[in-house]
Amino acid sequence: MKVFSSEYTFDYSWEECSTANWRKYCPWNDKSTHVIAVDTLSREIDPATGILRTERLITCHQQAPAWFISLLGGSNTSHVYETSYVSPADKRVTMCSTNLTWANILQVRETVTYQPDLTTSSPGHERTQFTQDAKITALCGGWQKIRTKIEEASVERFSENAKRGREGFEAVLEMSRRVFGEEKAREQAKLH
């Protein structure tokens, strides 16, 4: 098993990040064109805790080599199952995802959190701490050396995708702030 970890601080409040998270795979994000569909399977609020729990199926066009797809069967379409928890009381979003496609060969289990960055935030300039951890395990039989190479290559690719994902989310955050700011200004103008 190999582990990928990263941390990043967004110059946006937790409220902005937790709201924009639902728009992460929209046309505002030109870095996520591989995402074909995001289907919400279930969504419920725990009445005791106020935590919103959502299950989603994310369908992607993958860039696996043709020889790999030919060898293993399947297609260029892959699926990821995601469960997220939004705790307004704790100001914390936790998202857990795992690949469904080729999970018998390679398991990827990712956990992402968004929470206020209390160390660098100041009144009027709130920031959000983003953490991302992925455990990548090659399950294919054979020599350990082959499994290790598959895991190392997967971590490298995951790292590249994570960087693009952060860049795309920054674009979504920027557009959200602008659009919601314009809407808020229009609403306030109506009141005066």
Side-chain angles (χ1 to χ4, degrees), residues 7-15 17-18 85 87 89-95 112-121 126-132 169:
E7 290 187 6
Y8 185 78
T9 303
F10 289 103
D11 275 329
Y12 296 86
S13 68
W14 179 84
E15 289 80 4
C17 289
S18 61
Y85 305 89
S87 175
D90 298 328
K91 288 193 170 187
R92 182 179 180 96
V93 175
T94 304
M95 298 164 42
V112 165
T113 60
Y114 296 92
Q115 56 191 9
D117 183 348
L118 302 176
T119 60
T120 62
S121 293
E126 297 171 4
R127 302 176 81 196
T128 300
Q129 183 67 37
F130 166 81
T131 59
Q132 180 179 31
F169 191 51

PDB file of all heavy atoms in Angstrom, residues 7-15 17-18 85 87 89-95 112-121 126-132 169:
ATOM      1  N   GLU A   7      -1.959  18.905   1.848  1.00  0.00           N
ATOM      2  CA  GLU A   7      -2.703  19.932   2.567  1.00  0.00           C
ATOM      3  C   GLU A   7      -2.628  21.204   1.749  1.00  0.00           C
ATOM      4  O   GLU A   7      -1.642  21.452   1.053  1.00  0.00           O
ATOM      5  CB  GLU A   7      -2.108  20.184   3.950  1.00  0.00           C
ATOM      6  CG  GLU A   7      -2.315  19.060   4.913  1.00  0.00           C
ATOM      7  CD  GLU A   7      -1.867  19.407   6.329  1.00  0.00           C
ATOM      8  OE1 GLU A   7      -1.491  20.576   6.570  1.00  0.00           O
ATOM      9  OE2 GLU A   7      -1.883  18.508   7.165  1.00  0.00           O
ATOM     10  N   TYR A   8      -3.680  21.996   1.849  1.00  0.00           N
ATOM     11  CA  TYR A   8      -3.730  23.251   1.101  1.00  0.00           C
ATOM     12  C   TYR A   8      -4.660  24.188   1.855  1.00  0.00           C
ATOM     13  O   TYR A   8      -5.616  23.742   2.494  1.00  0.00           O
ATOM     14  CB  TYR A   8      -4.254  22.988  -0.317  1.00  0.00           C
ATOM     15  CG  TYR A   8      -4.231  24.192  -1.219  1.00  0.00           C
ATOM     16  CD1 TYR A   8      -3.046  24.611  -1.816  1.00  0.00           C
ATOM     17  CD2 TYR A   8      -5.385  24.909  -1.473  1.00  0.00           C
ATOM     18  CE1 TYR A   8      -3.023  25.718  -2.648  1.00  0.00           C
ATOM     19  CE2 TYR A   8      -5.371  26.015  -2.302  1.00  0.00           C
ATOM     20  CZ  TYR A   8      -4.181  26.411  -2.887  1.00  0.00           C
ATOM     21  OH  TYR A   8      -4.167  27.506  -3.706  1.00  0.00           O
ATOM     22  N   THR A   9      -4.391  25.478   1.784  1.00  0.00           N
ATOM     23  CA  THR A   9      -5.262  26.455   2.415  1.00  0.00           C
ATOM     24  C   THR A   9      -5.903  27.307   1.335  1.00  0.00           C
ATOM     25  O   THR A   9      -5.204  27.928   0.533  1.00  0.00           O
ATOM     26  CB  THR A   9      -4.477  27.340   3.403  1.00  0.00           C
ATOM     27  OG1 THR A   9      -3.859  26.490   4.376  1.00  0.00           O
ATOM     28  CG2 THR A   9      -5.404  28.323   4.107  1.00  0.00           C
ATOM     29  N   PHE A  10      -7.220  27.292   1.307  1.00  0.00           N
ATOM     30  CA  PHE A  10      -7.977  28.115   0.362  1.00  0.00           C
ATOM     31  C   PHE A  10      -8.255  29.471   0.992  1.00  0.00           C
ATOM     32  O   PHE A  10      -8.599  29.551   2.175  1.00  0.00           O
ATOM     33  CB  PHE A  10      -9.308  27.446  -0.012  1.00  0.00           C
ATOM     34  CG  PHE A  10      -9.152  26.236  -0.881  1.00  0.00           C
ATOM     35  CD1 PHE A  10      -9.279  24.962  -0.353  1.00  0.00           C
ATOM     36  CD2 PHE A  10      -8.887  26.365  -2.243  1.00  0.00           C
ATOM     37  CE1 PHE A  10      -9.146  23.839  -1.156  1.00  0.00           C
ATOM     38  CE2 PHE A  10      -8.743  25.249  -3.052  1.00  0.00           C
ATOM     39  CZ  PHE A  10      -8.871  23.984  -2.511  1.00  0.00           C
ATOM     40  N   ASP A  11      -8.134  30.545   0.221  1.00  0.00           N
ATOM     41  CA  ASP A  11      -8.425  31.899   0.692  1.00  0.00           C
ATOM     42  C   ASP A  11      -9.917  32.198   0.603  1.00  0.00           C
ATOM     43  O   ASP A  11     -10.324  33.254   0.103  1.00  0.00           O
ATOM     44  CB  ASP A  11      -7.633  32.934  -0.118  1.00  0.00           C
ATOM     45  CG  ASP A  11      -6.238  33.142   0.436  1.00  0.00           C
ATOM     46  OD1 ASP A  11      -6.059  33.007   1.657  1.00  0.00           O
ATOM     47  OD2 ASP A  11      -5.330  33.435  -0.361  1.00  0.00           O
ATOM     48  N   TYR A  12     -10.695  31.270   1.073  1.00  0.00           N
ATOM     49  CA  TYR A  12     -12.154  31.376   1.076  1.00  0.00           C
ATOM     50  C   TYR A  12     -12.647  30.828   2.402  1.00  0.00           C
ATOM     51  O   TYR A  12     -12.018  29.941   2.988  1.00  0.00           O
ATOM     52  CB  TYR A  12     -12.773  30.574  -0.079  1.00  0.00           C
ATOM     53  CG  TYR A  12     -12.388  31.104  -1.436  1.00  0.00           C
ATOM     54  CD1 TYR A  12     -11.217  30.699  -2.063  1.00  0.00           C
ATOM     55  CD2 TYR A  12     -13.198  32.032  -2.084  1.00  0.00           C
ATOM     56  CE1 TYR A  12     -10.857  31.202  -3.304  1.00  0.00           C
ATOM     57  CE2 TYR A  12     -12.848  32.534  -3.334  1.00  0.00           C
ATOM     58  CZ  TYR A  12     -11.678  32.117  -3.930  1.00  0.00           C
ATOM     59  OH  TYR A  12     -11.331  32.626  -5.168  1.00  0.00           O
ATOM     60  N   SER A  13     -13.776  31.327   2.848  1.00  0.00           N
ATOM     61  CA  SER A  13     -14.331  30.869   4.126  1.00  0.00           C
ATOM     62  C   SER A  13     -14.814  29.419   4.010  1.00  0.00           C
ATOM     63  O   SER A  13     -15.033  28.908   2.905  1.00  0.00           O
ATOM     64  CB  SER A  13     -15.502  31.766   4.539  1.00  0.00           C
ATOM     65  OG  SER A  13     -16.600  31.577   3.656  1.00  0.00           O
ATOM     66  N   TRP A  14     -15.024  28.805   5.172  1.00  0.00           N
ATOM     67  CA  TRP A  14     -15.556  27.449   5.185  1.00  0.00           C
ATOM     68  C   TRP A  14     -16.931  27.411   4.531  1.00  0.00           C
ATOM     69  O   TRP A  14     -17.256  26.487   3.793  1.00  0.00           O
ATOM     70  CB  TRP A  14     -15.636  26.912   6.614  1.00  0.00           C
ATOM     71  CG  TRP A  14     -16.201  25.532   6.664  1.00  0.00           C
ATOM     72  CD1 TRP A  14     -15.513  24.363   6.470  1.00  0.00           C
ATOM     73  CD2 TRP A  14     -17.565  25.163   6.880  1.00  0.00           C
ATOM     74  NE1 TRP A  14     -16.370  23.296   6.556  1.00  0.00           N
ATOM     75  CE2 TRP A  14     -17.649  23.758   6.805  1.00  0.00           C
ATOM     76  CE3 TRP A  14     -18.728  25.876   7.120  1.00  0.00           C
ATOM     77  CZ2 TRP A  14     -18.830  23.056   6.974  1.00  0.00           C
ATOM     78  CZ3 TRP A  14     -19.919  25.188   7.284  1.00  0.00           C
ATOM     79  CH2 TRP A  14     -19.962  23.787   7.210  1.00  0.00           C
ATOM     80  N   GLU A  15     -17.745  28.440   4.776  1.00  0.00           N
ATOM     81  CA  GLU A  15     -19.082  28.490   4.182  1.00  0.00           C
ATOM     82  C   GLU A  15     -18.993  28.503   2.658  1.00  0.00           C
ATOM     83  O   GLU A  15     -19.745  27.798   1.981  1.00  0.00           O
ATOM     84  CB  GLU A  15     -19.848  29.732   4.689  1.00  0.00           C
ATOM     85  CG  GLU A  15     -20.272  29.645   6.147  1.00  0.00           C
ATOM     86  CD  GLU A  15     -19.166  29.962   7.154  1.00  0.00           C
ATOM     87  OE1 GLU A  15     -18.036  30.330   6.744  1.00  0.00           O
ATOM     88  OE2 GLU A  15     -19.426  29.822   8.359  1.00  0.00           O
ATOM     89  N   CYS A  17     -16.424  27.362   0.794  1.00  0.00           N
ATOM     90  CA  CYS A  17     -15.877  26.075   0.336  1.00  0.00           C
ATOM     91  C   CYS A  17     -16.898  24.952   0.443  1.00  0.00           C
ATOM     92  O   CYS A  17     -17.030  24.142  -0.477  1.00  0.00           O
ATOM     93  CB  CYS A  17     -14.621  25.708   1.124  1.00  0.00           C
ATOM     94  SG  CYS A  17     -13.193  26.727   0.720  1.00  0.00           S
ATOM     95  N   SER A  18     -17.627  24.912   1.559  1.00  0.00           N
ATOM     96  CA  SER A  18     -18.589  23.822   1.735  1.00  0.00           C
ATOM     97  C   SER A  18     -19.755  23.952   0.763  1.00  0.00           C
ATOM     98  O   SER A  18     -20.311  22.942   0.320  1.00  0.00           O
ATOM     99  CB  SER A  18     -19.086  23.757   3.182  1.00  0.00           C
ATOM    100  OG  SER A  18     -19.748  24.946   3.544  1.00  0.00           O
ATOM    101  N   TYR A  85     -20.007  13.918   4.567  1.00  0.00           N
ATOM    102  CA  TYR A  85     -20.635  14.325   5.819  1.00  0.00           C
ATOM    103  C   TYR A  85     -20.358  15.812   6.013  1.00  0.00           C
ATOM    104  O   TYR A  85     -19.189  16.223   6.027  1.00  0.00           O
ATOM    105  CB  TYR A  85     -20.057  13.541   7.002  1.00  0.00           C
ATOM    106  CG  TYR A  85     -20.143  12.046   6.819  1.00  0.00           C
ATOM    107  CD1 TYR A  85     -19.120  11.347   6.181  1.00  0.00           C
ATOM    108  CD2 TYR A  85     -21.253  11.338   7.260  1.00  0.00           C
ATOM    109  CE1 TYR A  85     -19.206   9.976   5.989  1.00  0.00           C
ATOM    110  CE2 TYR A  85     -21.342   9.962   7.081  1.00  0.00           C
ATOM    111  CZ  TYR A  85     -20.314   9.296   6.437  1.00  0.00           C
ATOM    112  OH  TYR A  85     -20.398   7.935   6.241  1.00  0.00           O
ATOM    113  N   SER A  87     -20.911  18.769   8.654  1.00  0.00           N
ATOM    114  CA  SER A  87     -21.294  19.091  10.028  1.00  0.00           C
ATOM    115  C   SER A  87     -21.257  20.604  10.207  1.00  0.00           C
ATOM    116  O   SER A  87     -20.178  21.181  10.417  1.00  0.00           O
ATOM    117  CB  SER A  87     -20.343  18.426  11.020  1.00  0.00           C
ATOM    118  OG  SER A  87     -20.658  18.848  12.336  1.00  0.00           O
ATOM    119  N   ALA A  89     -22.277  22.308  12.730  1.00  0.00           N
ATOM    120  CA  ALA A  89     -21.888  22.638  14.109  1.00  0.00           C
ATOM    121  C   ALA A  89     -20.364  22.659  14.264  1.00  0.00           C
ATOM    122  O   ALA A  89     -19.809  23.545  14.903  1.00  0.00           O
ATOM    123  CB  ALA A  89     -22.503  21.636  15.083  1.00  0.00           C
ATOM    124  N   ASP A  90     -19.694  21.682  13.659  1.00  0.00           N
ATOM    125  CA  ASP A  90     -18.230  21.601  13.741  1.00  0.00           C
ATOM    126  C   ASP A  90     -17.543  22.350  12.609  1.00  0.00           C
ATOM    127  O   ASP A  90     -16.310  22.422  12.586  1.00  0.00           O
ATOM    128  CB  ASP A  90     -17.774  20.134  13.686  1.00  0.00           C
ATOM    129  CG  ASP A  90     -18.303  19.317  14.842  1.00  0.00           C
ATOM    130  OD1 ASP A  90     -18.481  19.877  15.939  1.00  0.00           O
ATOM    131  OD2 ASP A  90     -18.540  18.110  14.645  1.00  0.00           O
ATOM    132  N   LYS A  91     -18.322  22.833  11.650  1.00  0.00           N
ATOM    133  CA  LYS A  91     -17.784  23.451  10.433  1.00  0.00           C
ATOM    134  C   LYS A  91     -16.735  22.514   9.813  1.00  0.00           C
ATOM    135  O   LYS A  91     -15.561  22.855   9.677  1.00  0.00           O
ATOM    136  CB  LYS A  91     -17.192  24.827  10.717  1.00  0.00           C
ATOM    137  CG  LYS A  91     -18.244  25.868  10.995  1.00  0.00           C
ATOM    138  CD  LYS A  91     -17.644  27.254  10.950  1.00  0.00           C
ATOM    139  CE  LYS A  91     -18.743  28.302  10.980  1.00  0.00           C
ATOM    140  NZ  LYS A  91     -18.206  29.636  10.775  1.00  0.00           N
ATOM    141  N   ARG A  92     -17.220  21.353   9.426  1.00  0.00           N
ATOM    142  CA  ARG A  92     -16.329  20.342   8.853  1.00  0.00           C
ATOM    143  C   ARG A  92     -17.064  19.571   7.769  1.00  0.00           C
ATOM    144  O   ARG A  92     -18.178  19.098   7.982  1.00  0.00           O
ATOM    145  CB  ARG A  92     -15.862  19.395   9.950  1.00  0.00           C
ATOM    146  CG  ARG A  92     -14.900  18.332   9.499  1.00  0.00           C
ATOM    147  CD  ARG A  92     -14.495  17.459  10.689  1.00  0.00           C
ATOM    148  NE  ARG A  92     -13.583  16.426  10.295  1.00  0.00           N
ATOM    149  CZ  ARG A  92     -12.264  16.511  10.391  1.00  0.00           C
ATOM    150  NH1 ARG A  92     -11.710  17.595  10.893  1.00  0.00           N
ATOM    151  NH2 ARG A  92     -11.494  15.517  10.012  1.00  0.00           N
ATOM    152  N   VAL A  93     -16.415  19.460   6.611  1.00  0.00           N
ATOM    153  CA  VAL A  93     -16.889  18.594   5.537  1.00  0.00           C
ATOM    154  C   VAL A  93     -15.884  17.453   5.428  1.00  0.00           C
ATOM    155  O   VAL A  93     -14.677  17.687   5.334  1.00  0.00           O
ATOM    156  CB  VAL A  93     -16.960  19.337   4.174  1.00  0.00           C
ATOM    157  CG1 VAL A  93     -17.336  18.373   3.049  1.00  0.00           C
ATOM    158  CG2 VAL A  93     -17.937  20.496   4.233  1.00  0.00           C
ATOM    159  N   THR A  94     -16.388  16.225   5.442  1.00  0.00           N
ATOM    160  CA  THR A  94     -15.544  15.047   5.260  1.00  0.00           C
ATOM    161  C   THR A  94     -16.115  14.242   4.101  1.00  0.00           C
ATOM    162  O   THR A  94     -17.309  13.934   4.095  1.00  0.00           O
ATOM    163  CB  THR A  94     -15.520  14.166   6.526  1.00  0.00           C
ATOM    164  OG1 THR A  94     -15.092  14.964   7.636  1.00  0.00           O
ATOM    165  CG2 THR A  94     -14.589  12.971   6.349  1.00  0.00           C
ATOM    166  N   MET A  95     -15.268  13.951   3.140  1.00  0.00           N
ATOM    167  CA  MET A  95     -15.697  13.169   1.972  1.00  0.00           C
ATOM    168  C   MET A  95     -14.809  11.931   1.870  1.00  0.00           C
ATOM    169  O   MET A  95     -13.591  12.038   1.899  1.00  0.00           O
ATOM    170  CB  MET A  95     -15.577  14.013   0.704  1.00  0.00           C
ATOM    171  CG  MET A  95     -16.469  15.240   0.752  1.00  0.00           C
ATOM    172  SD  MET A  95     -16.071  16.516  -0.471  1.00  0.00           S
ATOM    173  CE  MET A  95     -15.757  15.608  -1.919  1.00  0.00           C
ATOM    174  N   VAL A 112     -11.106  13.339   2.194  1.00  0.00           N
ATOM    175  CA  VAL A 112     -10.867  14.771   2.038  1.00  0.00           C
ATOM    176  C   VAL A 112     -11.622  15.494   3.140  1.00  0.00           C
ATOM    177  O   VAL A 112     -12.751  15.120   3.458  1.00  0.00           O
ATOM    178  CB  VAL A 112     -11.369  15.236   0.647  1.00  0.00           C
ATOM    179  CG1 VAL A 112     -11.480  16.737   0.566  1.00  0.00           C
ATOM    180  CG2 VAL A 112     -10.486  14.695  -0.453  1.00  0.00           C
ATOM    181  N   THR A 113     -11.008  16.516   3.719  1.00  0.00           N
ATOM    182  CA  THR A 113     -11.715  17.338   4.704  1.00  0.00           C
ATOM    183  C   THR A 113     -11.517  18.820   4.384  1.00  0.00           C
ATOM    184  O   THR A 113     -10.478  19.222   3.868  1.00  0.00           O
ATOM    185  CB  THR A 113     -11.244  17.091   6.159  1.00  0.00           C
ATOM    186  OG1 THR A 113      -9.854  17.399   6.252  1.00  0.00           O
ATOM    187  CG2 THR A 113     -11.490  15.666   6.591  1.00  0.00           C
ATOM    188  N   TYR A 114     -12.550  19.576   4.693  1.00  0.00           N
ATOM    189  CA  TYR A 114     -12.508  21.042   4.642  1.00  0.00           C
ATOM    190  C   TYR A 114     -12.926  21.522   6.027  1.00  0.00           C
ATOM    191  O   TYR A 114     -13.959  21.094   6.540  1.00  0.00           O
ATOM    192  CB  TYR A 114     -13.515  21.600   3.638  1.00  0.00           C
ATOM    193  CG  TYR A 114     -13.289  21.231   2.197  1.00  0.00           C
ATOM    194  CD1 TYR A 114     -13.892  20.111   1.643  1.00  0.00           C
ATOM    195  CD2 TYR A 114     -12.494  22.033   1.377  1.00  0.00           C
ATOM    196  CE1 TYR A 114     -13.701  19.782   0.311  1.00  0.00           C
ATOM    197  CE2 TYR A 114     -12.303  21.709   0.044  1.00  0.00           C
ATOM    198  CZ  TYR A 114     -12.911  20.586  -0.492  1.00  0.00           C
ATOM    199  OH  TYR A 114     -12.733  20.263  -1.806  1.00  0.00           O
ATOM    200  N   GLN A 115     -12.120  22.395   6.628  1.00  0.00           N
ATOM    201  CA  GLN A 115     -12.493  22.985   7.911  1.00  0.00           C
ATOM    202  C   GLN A 115     -11.818  24.351   8.026  1.00  0.00           C
ATOM    203  O   GLN A 115     -10.815  24.606   7.366  1.00  0.00           O
ATOM    204  CB  GLN A 115     -12.134  22.080   9.074  1.00  0.00           C
ATOM    205  CG  GLN A 115     -10.692  21.678   9.161  1.00  0.00           C
ATOM    206  CD  GLN A 115     -10.486  20.568  10.171  1.00  0.00           C
ATOM    207  OE1 GLN A 115     -11.419  19.974  10.693  1.00  0.00           O
ATOM    208  NE2 GLN A 115      -9.234  20.280  10.460  1.00  0.00           N
ATOM    209  N   PRO A 116     -12.381  25.238   8.843  1.00  0.00           N
ATOM    210  CA  PRO A 116     -11.784  26.568   8.962  1.00  0.00           C
ATOM    211  C   PRO A 116     -10.322  26.482   9.393  1.00  0.00           C
ATOM    212  O   PRO A 116      -9.967  25.668  10.241  1.00  0.00           O
ATOM    213  CB  PRO A 116     -12.624  27.243  10.049  1.00  0.00           C
ATOM    214  CG  PRO A 116     -13.927  26.517  10.024  1.00  0.00           C
ATOM    215  CD  PRO A 116     -13.589  25.100   9.669  1.00  0.00           C
ATOM    216  N   ASP A 117      -9.500  27.320   8.791  1.00  0.00           N
ATOM    217  CA  ASP A 117      -8.098  27.413   9.191  1.00  0.00           C
ATOM    218  C   ASP A 117      -8.008  28.504  10.244  1.00  0.00           C
ATOM    219  O   ASP A 117      -7.946  29.683   9.922  1.00  0.00           O
ATOM    220  CB  ASP A 117      -7.219  27.742   7.989  1.00  0.00           C
ATOM    221  CG  ASP A 117      -5.747  27.772   8.348  1.00  0.00           C
ATOM    222  OD1 ASP A 117      -5.416  27.756   9.549  1.00  0.00           O
ATOM    223  OD2 ASP A 117      -4.916  27.817   7.424  1.00  0.00           O
ATOM    224  N   LEU A 118      -8.026  28.103  11.480  1.00  0.00           N
ATOM    225  CA  LEU A 118      -8.057  29.062  12.585  1.00  0.00           C
ATOM    226  C   LEU A 118      -6.707  29.719  12.834  1.00  0.00           C
ATOM    227  O   LEU A 118      -6.634  30.759  13.486  1.00  0.00           O
ATOM    228  CB  LEU A 118      -8.550  28.363  13.857  1.00  0.00           C
ATOM    229  CG  LEU A 118      -9.937  27.710  13.739  1.00  0.00           C
ATOM    230  CD1 LEU A 118     -10.291  26.973  15.012  1.00  0.00           C
ATOM    231  CD2 LEU A 118     -10.989  28.751  13.386  1.00  0.00           C
ATOM    232  N   THR A 119      -5.638  29.145  12.282  1.00  0.00           N
ATOM    233  CA  THR A 119      -4.302  29.704  12.533  1.00  0.00           C
ATOM    234  C   THR A 119      -3.994  30.888  11.621  1.00  0.00           C
ATOM    235  O   THR A 119      -3.213  31.757  12.012  1.00  0.00           O
ATOM    236  CB  THR A 119      -3.207  28.627  12.351  1.00  0.00           C
ATOM    237  OG1 THR A 119      -3.253  28.139  11.013  1.00  0.00           O
ATOM    238  CG2 THR A 119      -3.398  27.484  13.332  1.00  0.00           C
ATOM    239  N   THR A 120      -4.577  30.941  10.420  1.00  0.00           N
ATOM    240  CA  THR A 120      -4.241  32.027   9.497  1.00  0.00           C
ATOM    241  C   THR A 120      -5.434  32.911   9.150  1.00  0.00           C
ATOM    242  O   THR A 120      -5.276  33.892   8.441  1.00  0.00           O
ATOM    243  CB  THR A 120      -3.641  31.477   8.186  1.00  0.00           C
ATOM    244  OG1 THR A 120      -4.612  30.659   7.530  1.00  0.00           O
ATOM    245  CG2 THR A 120      -2.375  30.677   8.450  1.00  0.00           C
ATOM    246  N   SER A 121      -6.618  32.549   9.628  1.00  0.00           N
ATOM    247  CA  SER A 121      -7.795  33.362   9.355  1.00  0.00           C
ATOM    248  C   SER A 121      -7.823  34.577  10.274  1.00  0.00           C
ATOM    249  O   SER A 121      -7.294  34.541  11.387  1.00  0.00           O
ATOM    250  CB  SER A 121      -9.085  32.554   9.560  1.00  0.00           C
ATOM    251  OG  SER A 121      -9.183  31.540   8.599  1.00  0.00           O
ATOM    252  N   GLU A 126     -11.339  35.038   6.119  1.00  0.00           N
ATOM    253  CA  GLU A 126     -11.368  33.661   6.592  1.00  0.00           C
ATOM    254  C   GLU A 126     -10.771  32.738   5.546  1.00  0.00           C
ATOM    255  O   GLU A 126     -10.911  32.965   4.340  1.00  0.00           O
ATOM    256  CB  GLU A 126     -12.805  33.261   6.904  1.00  0.00           C
ATOM    257  CG  GLU A 126     -13.408  34.093   8.022  1.00  0.00           C
ATOM    258  CD  GLU A 126     -14.886  33.846   8.194  1.00  0.00           C
ATOM    259  OE1 GLU A 126     -15.447  32.977   7.515  1.00  0.00           O
ATOM    260  OE2 GLU A 126     -15.480  34.544   9.023  1.00  0.00           O
ATOM    261  N   ARG A 127     -10.128  31.703   6.013  1.00  0.00           N
ATOM    262  CA  ARG A 127      -9.489  30.730   5.127  1.00  0.00           C
ATOM    263  C   ARG A 127      -9.944  29.328   5.534  1.00  0.00           C
ATOM    264  O   ARG A 127     -10.382  29.110   6.656  1.00  0.00           O
ATOM    265  CB  ARG A 127      -7.972  30.851   5.224  1.00  0.00           C
ATOM    266  CG  ARG A 127      -7.507  32.276   4.862  1.00  0.00           C
ATOM    267  CD  ARG A 127      -6.043  32.449   5.034  1.00  0.00           C
ATOM    268  NE  ARG A 127      -5.393  31.904   3.851  1.00  0.00           N
ATOM    269  CZ  ARG A 127      -4.101  31.603   3.783  1.00  0.00           C
ATOM    270  NH1 ARG A 127      -3.317  31.768   4.828  1.00  0.00           N
ATOM    271  NH2 ARG A 127      -3.585  31.111   2.681  1.00  0.00           N
ATOM    272  N   THR A 128      -9.794  28.390   4.603  1.00  0.00           N
ATOM    273  CA  THR A 128     -10.228  27.016   4.843  1.00  0.00           C
ATOM    274  C   THR A 128      -9.071  26.053   4.596  1.00  0.00           C
ATOM    275  O   THR A 128      -8.411  26.115   3.556  1.00  0.00           O
ATOM    276  CB  THR A 128     -11.416  26.658   3.928  1.00  0.00           C
ATOM    277  OG1 THR A 128     -12.486  27.558   4.217  1.00  0.00           O
ATOM    278  CG2 THR A 128     -11.877  25.226   4.151  1.00  0.00           C
ATOM    279  N   GLN A 129      -8.866  25.169   5.566  1.00  0.00           N
ATOM    280  CA  GLN A 129      -7.832  24.143   5.471  1.00  0.00           C
ATOM    281  C   GLN A 129      -8.408  22.921   4.759  1.00  0.00           C
ATOM    282  O   GLN A 129      -9.464  22.421   5.135  1.00  0.00           O
ATOM    283  CB  GLN A 129      -7.330  23.753   6.865  1.00  0.00           C
ATOM    284  CG  GLN A 129      -6.215  22.750   6.869  1.00  0.00           C
ATOM    285  CD  GLN A 129      -4.926  23.310   6.287  1.00  0.00           C
ATOM    286  OE1 GLN A 129      -4.606  24.467   6.482  1.00  0.00           O
ATOM    287  NE2 GLN A 129      -4.209  22.493   5.549  1.00  0.00           N
ATOM    288  N   PHE A 130      -7.700  22.470   3.743  1.00  0.00           N
ATOM    289  CA  PHE A 130      -8.084  21.301   2.949  1.00  0.00           C
ATOM    290  C   PHE A 130      -7.033  20.228   3.183  1.00  0.00           C
ATOM    291  O   PHE A 130      -5.834  20.497   3.087  1.00  0.00           O
ATOM    292  CB  PHE A 130      -8.116  21.712   1.475  1.00  0.00           C
ATOM    293  CG  PHE A 130      -8.166  20.576   0.498  1.00  0.00           C
ATOM    294  CD1 PHE A 130      -9.362  19.950   0.209  1.00  0.00           C
ATOM    295  CD2 PHE A 130      -7.023  20.148  -0.148  1.00  0.00           C
ATOM    296  CE1 PHE A 130      -9.422  18.915  -0.711  1.00  0.00           C
ATOM    297  CE2 PHE A 130      -7.060  19.115  -1.072  1.00  0.00           C
ATOM    298  CZ  PHE A 130      -8.263  18.502  -1.347  1.00  0.00           C
ATOM    299  N   THR A 131      -7.470  19.032   3.560  1.00  0.00           N
ATOM    300  CA  THR A 131      -6.540  17.907   3.672  1.00  0.00           C
ATOM    301  C   THR A 131      -7.050  16.766   2.806  1.00  0.00           C
ATOM    302  O   THR A 131      -8.260  16.559   2.673  1.00  0.00           O
ATOM    303  CB  THR A 131      -6.381  17.414   5.124  1.00  0.00           C
ATOM    304  OG1 THR A 131      -7.653  17.003   5.623  1.00  0.00           O
ATOM    305  CG2 THR A 131      -5.807  18.483   6.018  1.00  0.00           C
ATOM    306  N   GLN A 132      -6.127  16.064   2.214  1.00  0.00           N
ATOM    307  CA  GLN A 132      -6.455  14.965   1.302  1.00  0.00           C
ATOM    308  C   GLN A 132      -5.493  13.818   1.565  1.00  0.00           C
ATOM    309  O   GLN A 132      -4.277  14.010   1.573  1.00  0.00           O
ATOM    310  CB  GLN A 132      -6.314  15.460  -0.144  1.00  0.00           C
ATOM    311  CG  GLN A 132      -6.622  14.456  -1.203  1.00  0.00           C
ATOM    312  CD  GLN A 132      -6.468  15.058  -2.598  1.00  0.00           C
ATOM    313  OE1 GLN A 132      -5.657  15.951  -2.820  1.00  0.00           O
ATOM    314  NE2 GLN A 132      -7.251  14.572  -3.527  1.00  0.00           N
ATOM    315  N   PHE A 169     -11.005  23.639  -8.448  1.00  0.00           N
ATOM    316  CA  PHE A 169     -11.862  24.079  -7.345  1.00  0.00           C
ATOM    317  C   PHE A 169     -11.642  25.563  -7.053  1.00  0.00           C
ATOM    318  O   PHE A 169     -12.589  26.285  -6.735  1.00  0.00           O
ATOM    319  CB  PHE A 169     -11.620  23.219  -6.105  1.00  0.00           C
ATOM    320  CG  PHE A 169     -12.633  23.429  -5.021  1.00  0.00           C
ATOM    321  CD1 PHE A 169     -13.994  23.369  -5.280  1.00  0.00           C
ATOM    322  CD2 PHE A 169     -12.236  23.686  -3.721  1.00  0.00           C
ATOM    323  CE1 PHE A 169     -14.940  23.567  -4.278  1.00  0.00           C
ATOM    324  CE2 PHE A 169     -13.166  23.881  -2.707  1.00  0.00           C
ATOM    325  CZ  PHE A 169     -14.521  23.824  -2.993  1.00  0.00           C
TER     326      PHE A 169
END
